[in-house]
Amino acid sequence: IALSCESSVLFCDEPTSALDVTTQATIMDLLEELRVTRDLSIVLVTHDLALATDRADEIVVVHGGRVVEVLGASSLVAEAVMPYTRMLVAAGRDGIATPTSSQGSVRDRCSFEPGCEWVQERCRNEVPVLREVGPGHQCRCFFPVGAPQVRASCVQVVQRGPH
């Protein structure tokens, strides 16, 4: 039905969830064939990072209803800087179910603030903007992991701590 309108974009929401690996590959191969033969763009919504990195060109990570990181699929594992994205990658690598969280309103703060190991006061009181952190790489985080300001703020915290 979705293809009958000759659309240029096809949205696929969890098209392979609960399928065995062989059937999953068959469905993804079919979608790839449709993409090429009909010149389609496909938006694949999935919790399966392995599938996404294998089949997508670009990854858009969403948390709390907000886009929190955008980067090339081939860079996800090595270059993710948003703490939530890094947690998802680690969970997938370690064979742990995708972590979920239930926050209340995140209108006035970072959506990942309650679960973030890098959280600072600013994260509790402001909403970070989605900003470029590298070519083709955007992140919604005040303190992206590995950025110089994170290392500097950690040093400040250590220097001020009770030792």
Side-chain angles (χ1 to χ4, degrees):
I1 293 171
L3 296 170
S4 66
C5 298
E6 304 281 333
S7 298
S8 59
V9 179
L10 178 64
F11 285 84
C12 299
D13 188 2
E14 297 284 357
T16 62
S17 86
L19 297 177
D20 64 84
V21 177
T22 304
T23 305
Q24 182 182 62
T26 302
I27 296 296
M28 293 308 298
D29 290 344
L30 175 60
L31 288 172
E32 176 63 13
E33 181 182 327
L34 287 168
R35 186 189 70 76
V36 171
T37 59
R38 294 183 178 224
D39 194 28
L40 283 172
S41 293
I42 296 179
V43 176
L44 174 67
V45 178
T46 184
H47 288 91
D48 186 340
L49 285 182
L51 175 70
T53 56
D54 184 49
R55 297 294 186 133
D57 296 321
E58 184 176 64
I59 304 285
V60 177
V61 179
V62 177
H63 184 271
R66 292 186 184 130
V67 172
V68 295
E69 190 157 19
V70 179
L71 69 164
S74 62
S75 339
L76 179 72
V77 173
E79 297 178 23
V81 295
M82 171 61 182
Y84 177 68
T85 306
R86 293 171 62 90
M87 184 180 74
L88 291 175
V89 169
R93 179 186 60 235
D94 299 338
I96 301 169
T98 303
T100 59
S101 56
S102 57
Q103 285 99 15
S105 171
V106 293
R107 206 176 40 232
D108 300 326
R109 62 179 164 86
C110 173
S111 64
F112 190 55
E113 175 265 325
C116 184
E117 66 181 284
W118 298 98
V119 68
Q120 295 187 30
E121 195 58 33
R122 184 175 189 190
C123 308
R124 293 182 179 101
N125 300 309
E126 297 177 50
V127 177
V129 297
L130 190 63
R131 64 185 171 94
E132 192 156 338
V133 294
H137 188 176
Q138 297 175 319
C139 179
R140 183 183 303 275
C141 184
F142 292 119
F143 308 102
V145 177
Q149 74 241 29
V150 172
R151 288 191 291 271
S153 65
C154 290
V155 169
Q156 291 169 359
V157 170
V158 170
Q159 290 171 345
R160 292 179 189 163
H163 293 289

